[in-house]
Amino acid sequence: GAGSTWSGGTLTGGGTLTVPVGAALTLPAETSARVLGNRTIANAGTVLWAVGNVDLEQSAGSAAFNNAGRFDIRTDSGTWGHVSGSFGGTMTLANTGSLPRTVGTGMVTLGASIGGVALNNSGLLSVESGTLAAQNFPANAGTITLSNGSTLSTSNDLANTGIIQGTGAINLGGGSLTN
């Protein structure tokens, strides 16, 4: 399908960036900072995160990434929702589609320790390699698949009403799992 690239710049000012079925949005090496502000990304196609960070705008407001398609994390390291200063807004990542961490041995973070990104999963979240650190992941209603040698890490309690399967590890950072 059709494809677009987001290598740098700011998505802000309200509204929705839609990636339709059959289309792709690729996040390659950054030419300048990628900043997500008061805007929604609605994915029904494929978003391929190849490398780098996605920063949150340093102002009040909210940003959302609604994934009903495939959000393929292929970067070896990086932060979705990176905050370099004070952030007065909120960000959510709602996954009703497929969210695989497919390559790389490093740690990829969804949400910085400041502000954070609220991850809501009712789709398929799979960690096939490395570590996926979801800083704010309080509940899972979907399926989590952990491949051998992979880790899903979160810094809070996790209430699971879905399925957790595989031979990988879950690191709750001192929190507890309610199943």
Side-chain angles (χ1 to χ4, degrees), residues 4-65:
S4 296
T5 301
W6 183 19
S7 58
T10 300
L11 292 175
T12 191
T16 300
L17 169 66
T18 301
V19 181
V21 172
L25 175 63
T26 302
L27 284 66
E30 299 164 279
T31 56
S32 64
R34 283 187 292 257
V35 180
L36 184 59
N38 190 24
R39 181 174 284 264
T40 297
I41 298 175
N43 178 40
T46 299
V47 172
L48 172 60
W49 180 17
V51 68
N53 294 324
V54 175
D55 297 333
L56 293 178
E57 185 179 42
Q58 305 298 309
S59 65
S62 63
F65 181 71

Side-chain angles (χ1 to χ4, degrees), residues 9 13 31 36 42 57 61 75 83 93 96 102 109 159:
T31 56
L36 184 59
E57 185 179 42
T75 183
V83 179
L93 195 161
T96 59
T102 54
T109 304

Side-chain angles (χ1 to χ4, degrees), residues 121 123-128 140 142-152 158 160 162-170 177 179:
N121 181 54
L124 173 62
L125 172 67
S126 62
V127 185
E128 299 171 17
N140 174 59
T143 299
I144 298 172
T145 302
L146 303 165
S147 296
N148 188 37
S150 70
T151 301
L152 174 64
L158 176 61
N160 180 55
I163 297 168
I164 299 175
Q165 60 190 9
T167 56
I170 296 177
L177 174 66
N179 207 3

Side-chain angles (χ1 to χ4, degrees), residues 103-120:
V103 298
T105 57
M107 180 183 298
V108 173
T109 304
L110 299 176
S113 58
I114 303 169
V117 174
L119 173 61
N120 303 306

Side-chain angles (χ1 to χ4, degrees), residues 33 38 46-47 49 57 63 77 85 89 92 95 99 106 111-112 117 136 147 156 161 170 172 175 178:
N38 190 24
T46 299
V47 172
W49 180 17
E57 185 179 42
S77 64
T92 58
N95 180 49
L99 198 165
V117 174
N136 183 6
S147 296
N156 52 268
T161 58
I170 296 177
L172 297 172
T178 304

